[in-house]
Amino acid sequence: NAGVTQTPKFRVLKTGQSMTLLCAQDMNHEYMYWYRQDPGMGLRLIHYSVGEGTTAKGEVPDGYNVSRLKKQNFLLGLESAAPSQTSVYFCASRLGGFIQAGYTFGSGTRLTVV
Amino acid sequence: GQQLNQSPQSMFIQEGEDVSMNCTSSSIFNTWLWYKQDPGEGPVLLIALYKAGELTSNGRLTAQFGITRKDSFLNISASIPSDVGIYFCAGHSGGSNYKLTFGKGTLLTVNP
């Protein structure tokens, strides 16, 4: 049982390049979330999804797009990367229903934009 | 948006010492959660609190949900080197999207 898997683990992009980060979960979770973690800033929500085919903006959505075509996958896209998007990106998922289930996090993608 | 004020930002302690950290908010939360993040990994849930005044333990960890529902604290007793990491508080204020608001984290260093 893999839980939440993020690919790639590391990536270096040049300014203006595009890329997609993949999050896959095998727990049949309804809800999925993308966070970014920056030093001294904690975890900030980028986008989230409450089910297959649905997405919504979080706290810091600008410069990112997402898609949830399949329940188990949540993709985060950067159309034109900027140095301000250098960060560690975490995907998380949870069951629907009670908040008690908490989030299960992936191990992160470390992205550097030069 | 909602904000959680987590303190202290960092702590340097000796092995065996007890540790205390807390989170406060200007808003009411229905659920408080505490996570730990090991270097190079994602956060892992330590303790979840669902009722005001609730006190819950998980081994050497104890957390409490403040009576006002605007704060929570986490205590670690008899710290060991593997307690090193970043500790995050998180709160849920309601709503069906189950979004969590995270504190900025407390970086704990334990000297053997």
Side-chain angles (χ1 to χ4, degrees):
Chain A
N1 193 346
V4 177
T5 302
Q6 292 184 234
T7 54
K9 293 189 182 300
F10 303 93
R11 185 73 184 270
V12 178
L13 283 180
K14 294 183 178 179
T15 298
Q17 285 185 321
S18 63
M19 79 163 294
T20 300
L21 283 67
L22 172 63
C23 177
Q25 53 92 6
D26 60 2
M27 298 171 287
N28 201 34
H29 284 177
E30 287 291 332
Y31 298 77
M32 298 186 75
Y33 308 82
W34 275 107
Y35 285 88
R36 61 177 289 173
Q37 183 178 25
D38 303 292
M41 300 297 290
L43 291 161
R44 293 183 293 170
L45 182 64
I46 306 171
H47 285 281
Y48 65 99
S49 169
V50 301
E52 181 179 320
T54 73
T55 63
K57 294 180 180 179
E59 181 186 359
V60 288
D62 294 342
Y64 305 95
N65 57 75
V66 288
S67 65
R68 183 102 181 266
L69 299 179
K70 294 183 178 180
K71 185 177 183 178
Q72 63 268 35
N73 296 336
F74 195 27
L75 279 63
L76 178 69
L78 286 73
E79 290 187 350
S80 180
S84 61
Q85 294 178 304
T86 293
S87 187
V88 182
Y89 292 86
F90 286 100
C91 175
S93 71
R94 67 177 306 281
L95 283 170
F98 301 112
I99 188 63
Q100 286 86 335
Y103 287 17
T104 300
F105 281 88
S107 58
T109 294
R110 184 174 295 276
L111 176 66
T112 302
V113 182
V114 298
Chain B
Q2 296 172 318
Q3 290 186 336
L4 292 181
N5 299 309
Q6 185 172 350
S7 64
Q9 288 185 336
S10 62
M11 302 181 72
F12 297 85
I13 63 171
Q14 294 297 125
E15 183 176 359
E17 290 183 351
D18 297 342
V19 172
S20 183
M21 59 192 78
N22 69 84
C23 270
T24 60
S25 172
S26 58
S27 304
I28 289 174
F29 286 95
N30 297 328
T31 302
W32 285 93
L33 304 162
W34 285 91
Y35 286 83
K36 182 194 177 193
Q37 183 181 25
D38 290 326
E41 298 294 330
V44 173
L45 182 64
L46 297 174
I47 291 179
L49 303 156
Y50 314 121
K51 291 170 52 179
E54 179 180 357
L55 185 70
T56 297
S57 294
N58 178 6
R60 294 179 295 105
L61 279 62
T62 302
Q64 184 159 28
F65 191 143
I67 292 177
T68 64
R69 296 165 63 190
K70 293 182 178 181
D71 62 335
S72 177
F73 72 76
L74 175 70
N75 286 343
I76 305 173
S77 62
S79 59
I80 59 178
S82 62
D83 289 334
V84 165
I86 303 175
Y87 292 79
F88 290 101
C89 63
H92 177 251
S93 58
S96 58
N97 53 34
Y98 299 106
K99 288 190 296 180
L100 292 180
T101 300
F102 283 85
K104 294 183 178 181
T106 295
L107 175 61
L108 178 63
T109 303
V110 180
N111 296 317

